[in-house]
Amino acid sequence: MKTVFTSMRLWWATPVVGIAGALIASSLNWPLPWIIGSMLAVILVRCLGWRVGEIPYGRLTGQWMIATSIGLHFTPVVLEQIVGHFAMMLFAAFLTLCLALLGIEFMRHRGMDLTTAFFAFMPANFSEMIQLGIRHKANVSQIAAAHSVRLVLIVLCVPPAMFFTARISPTAVHARLPSDWYWLLPLLIGGALTAMIWKRCKLPNPWMFGPMALCALFTASFNLQTALPVQLSHYGQLMIGCALGGYFDRQFFRASPTFLLKVSLFTLAMIGCTLVLALGIGYWLGFPVMTLALGMMPGSSTEMYLTAEALNLGVGIVTAMQIMRLVVVMLCAEPVHKAWLKHLRR
């Protein structure tokens, strides 16, 4: 009991700070206020010296909610679109990988260790890149810092830019499907069980990909027309926003300001180049540019999905492109790294 009380004392204020930030962001008409507002609020109070702690299982349950919501978009019609655009999506994933490799080569010429730069700037999941960095004896703290900054910068820059470009108010409400608890309750429970099995099998990002896969399977099989209640979506965004904010404090920014500046410039350059590539491919193939840009963006599938949903874009296509990029990067990362090292030794 004493341990529980001590643990709660470290994190009880985190959701309070996050909710306050989300409500302020909502009142200011910011896009995705429940994730951006909560994240900025937690970063602010931690930088001011109040080290609010991580909410136990907060990020996992947040991913569980958002993954369920994503999976419910994979109707038979959406799956047909994904199959029809498979070649384009694969091409876009390899383009994003090539863009990252060019950036890594640039950073290497600026004096950065190849292995650390490689796993720090690969557009893939945070945890998997850290594990690969540990295996290849890279600077793990720099890898963690780079991915933290990348995720936060993309969350801060991409959704506002998309809303501004689309000229849509962040407070605009799109029609939502009703929440059918006859399906939702078993899918939520089944999603949690799938995530546990996924984790036991040591598959990547279990609390995101496990529930998403289960919900997508049932949605496509039974053509479900239901959606997660907006309150649960807000909860998921709040937990993810608080988790992202928890990576930062004054010590983080003081540790290596030059490195963090390099990471920030690299990320902003990646965002700009991705938009240019999406513009070119979109006009070449006659594909919606904003959907393509969100699908190619080297961020987290969660935030890109939420932006696509808020803008009423092709959510299924955006999510499928994000997943394809992650798969391509995870399959190619180690072989490319090994070949690159061998080339340098020659």
Side-chain angles (χ1 to χ4, degrees):
M1 186 70 180
K2 187 177 179 181
T3 307
V4 173
F5 179 75
T6 305
S7 170
M8 189 172 181
R9 200 169 57 182
L10 297 173
W11 63 264
W12 70 268
T14 308
V16 177
V17 170
I19 290 170
L23 293 176
I24 292 170
S26 296
S27 68
L28 295 173
N29 290 339
W30 283 8
L32 306 185
W34 284 89
I35 190 167
I36 295 178
S38 59
M39 178 185 71
L40 289 178
V42 171
I43 290 174
L44 178 62
V45 299
R46 285 176 63 85
C47 287
L48 290 174
W50 186 11
R51 292 179 62 92
V52 291
E54 181 183 353
I55 303 167
Y57 306 107
R59 184 177 177 83
L60 297 185
T61 56
Q63 287 182 318
W64 173 33
M65 291 298 128
I66 300 302
T68 301
S69 183
I70 294 173
L72 293 171
H73 283 87
F74 283 88
T75 59
V77 173
V78 171
L79 283 184
E80 282 180 21
Q81 292 175 347
I82 291 169
V83 172
H85 294 103
F86 184 85
M88 181 272 292
M89 290 161 55
L90 188 61
F91 175 65
F94 276 105
L95 264 184
T96 305
L97 176 61
C98 291
L99 191 60
L101 292 174
L102 285 173
I104 291 165
E105 175 67 3
F106 178 81
M107 297 301 281
R108 190 180 71 82
H109 281 293
R110 291 297 174 274
M112 197 170 175
D113 166 56
L114 171 62
T115 300
T116 300
F118 190 90
F119 296 113
F121 296 116
M122 272 285 116
N125 281 333
F126 188 106
S127 54
E128 280 77 26
M129 291 300 103
I130 287 178
Q131 290 303 315
L132 289 176
I134 292 170
R135 189 185 306 168
H136 292 277
K137 298 177 181 173
N139 187 325
V140 176
S141 61
Q142 286 193 344
I143 293 173
H147 282 285
S148 301
V149 171
R150 174 176 65 87
L151 290 176
V152 168
L153 271 179
I154 287 175
V155 170
L156 288 176
C157 296
V158 174
M162 289 292 179
F163 276 92
F164 177 77
T165 304
R167 297 179 182 176
I168 294 176
S169 168
T171 56
V173 178
H174 297 291
R176 291 180 66 89
L177 292 169
S179 300
D180 184 355
W181 284 101
Y182 176 82
W183 283 103
L184 272 180
L185 188 59
L187 284 175
L188 282 167
I189 295 169
L193 294 173
T194 306
M196 293 174 192
I197 296 168
W198 204 277
K199 185 177 180 180
R200 195 173 183 84
C201 295
K202 297 182 179 179
L203 294 170
N205 212 350
W207 286 90
M208 177 56 72
F209 292 150
M212 186 196 303
L214 180 79
C215 290
L217 175 65
F218 276 85
T219 300
S221 300
F222 296 97
N223 195 19
L224 300 184
Q225 300 294 320
T226 186
L228 198 70
V230 68
Q231 294 84 357
L232 289 182
S233 177
H234 286 170
Y235 167 82
Q237 293 176 55
L238 174 69
M239 290 297 105
I240 292 171
C242 289
L244 286 173
Y247 294 130
F248 299 88
D249 54 24
R250 276 184 290 187
Q251 186 180 350
F252 178 90
F253 291 109
R254 287 173 178 170
S256 182
T258 305
F259 175 73
L260 294 179
L261 179 62
K262 287 180 180 179
V263 172
S264 301
L265 293 174
F266 179 92
T267 303
L268 293 173
M270 280 287 289
I271 292 171
C273 292
T274 300
L275 289 173
V276 170
L277 285 174
L279 198 64
I281 297 171
Y283 280 120
W284 176 37
L285 298 178
F287 197 82
V289 173
M290 289 183 69
T291 300
L292 198 56
L294 284 175
M296 292 178 67
M297 200 58 62
S300 165
S301 54
T302 304
E303 291 80 27
M304 297 305 100
Y305 152 75
L306 290 168
T307 305
E309 184 184 49
L311 291 171
N312 208 24
L313 299 175
V315 172
I317 294 288
V318 168
T319 305
M321 288 183 72
Q322 288 287 326
I323 293 170
M324 184 162 302
R325 171 177 54 79
L326 292 175
V327 171
V328 165
V329 170
M330 290 304 297
L331 289 175
C332 295
E334 284 196 287
V336 170
H337 176 253
K338 189 184 294 184
W340 201 338
L341 283 177
K342 191 179 289 186
H343 173 74
L344 289 178
R345 286 181 189 130
R346 285 175 186 169

